[in-house]
Amino acid sequence: MTASTPPRTSSRLVSPLGRRRPAPPALVLVAHGSRDPRALTTVRALMDRVRALRPGLPVRLGHIELTAPLLPDTLAALGDTPAVLVPLLLGRGYHVRQDIPEMAAAAPGSTRTAPPLGPHPLLAEALHARLTEAGWPAGLDDTARRSTAVVLAAAGSRDPDSAADTRRTARLLSARLGVPVVPAYASAAAPTVPTALRALAARGRHRVAVASYFTAPGRFATQCAAQAPWIASAPLGAHDAMAHLVLRRYDQSLKAPASAAA
């Protein structure tokens, strides 16, 4: 460094008055966990997308079950660093109401828990994109529209709010596609995917796509896709709309009243 060269400073961490800004709370992606190794690869790819959109934001990953790192271990490693937990879940249910809040309450640092990702128009955008990748036509004439439909295949939950959230996403996707979209479930709720397909066929809807309403690959996503009579989309994964939605939930949580902190 020459005498005329000023010392380097961090423009991101120093305010105009010379005081260092506090680091933002860590964003902890909360995934369900799966024995399918593709799930972890997919969630890590989504984490990379989030980091690329928000450089400098600490982003971590924790799983509810089945896959390391588990959420309690991730929170323990953060120590007293504040964190916002963003569930990579697509609606309300037991994990959102019980498991995640209990793990957050045991964390050594202060935490906030954001709402699940769904329902939201960005999910309908990602679903539409995945269907297009699978072969959904760019345009449908009136004749094709009368014989076409979509089954929105979700994991399922006994929580009625979870089903309500899935139905809302189905309505958002239907508005984008211009055809009926029927929610169906892999477990714990009705109708099943085969039942929904039979009901649509009875209404003259014989060209039916299965839209995979899962964050990442796994047993249920594979099972539902295998039942598609026409095309089946891939899970939502690391789509850009997903990464933007994660950051939106993070930002909304920070703007919520302090009482929302766990």
Side-chain angles (χ1 to χ4, degrees):
M1 180 184 299
T2 66
S4 61
T5 303
R8 294 181 179 177
T9 59
S10 171
S11 60
R12 288 184 299 175
L13 296 179
V14 180
S15 74
L17 298 178
R19 293 190 295 271
R20 292 184 68 82
R21 299 178 191 171
L27 190 166
V28 178
L29 299 175
V30 183
H32 182 278
S34 172
R35 293 184 177 89
D36 189 325
R38 296 174 300 167
L40 180 57
T41 300
T42 300
V43 172
R44 283 177 171 164
L46 177 57
M47 184 165 58
D48 289 342
R49 289 276 180 109
V50 172
R51 285 172 170 158
L53 289 172
R54 191 74 60 89
L57 175 64
V59 182
R60 303 290 184 266
L61 172 63
H63 294 88
I64 298 169
E65 59 184 3
L66 299 175
T67 308
L70 294 173
L71 180 57
D73 297 332
T74 297
L75 296 176
L78 284 170
D80 60 1
T81 300
V84 175
L85 280 56
V86 179
L88 298 181
L89 303 174
L90 304 176
R92 293 167 288 178
Y94 186 83
H95 292 312
V96 170
R97 297 191 193 280
Q98 297 292 330
D99 290 334
I100 296 174
E102 288 175 1
M103 295 176 190
S110 64
T111 64
R112 291 173 178 251
T113 301
L117 297 183
H120 195 278
L122 283 171
L123 290 178
E125 177 182 330
L127 285 163
H128 188 181
R130 294 298 187 220
L131 282 168
T132 300
E133 292 168 359
W136 185 266
L140 292 172
D141 59 28
D142 289 342
T143 300
R145 204 176 295 280
R146 284 192 292 270
S147 64
T148 303
V150 172
V151 167
L152 183 64
S157 170
R158 293 182 179 85
D159 189 321
D161 287 337
S162 176
D165 290 342
T166 305
R167 287 195 299 270
R168 184 176 170 193
T169 297
R171 291 194 295 271
L172 291 170
L173 183 59
S174 178
R176 290 184 70 98
L177 299 177
V179 301
V181 177
V182 177
Y185 305 96
S187 69
T192 64
V193 171
T195 299
L197 291 170
R198 286 193 296 270
L200 285 167
R203 292 161 49 188
R205 305 278 176 172
H206 298 289
R207 190 168 70 157
V208 182
V210 171
S212 184
Y213 197 41
F214 298 90
T215 302
R219 178 169 62 91
F220 285 159
T222 300
Q223 170 188 312
C224 291
Q227 295 164 340
W230 177 33
I231 60 173
S233 64
L236 297 165
H239 192 276
D240 279 343
M242 291 284 284
H244 283 286
L245 182 52
V246 164
L247 287 170
R248 184 168 299 192
R249 292 296 193 225
Y250 172 86
D251 292 337
Q252 289 172 339
S253 184
L254 289 180
K255 294 174 184 177
S259 59

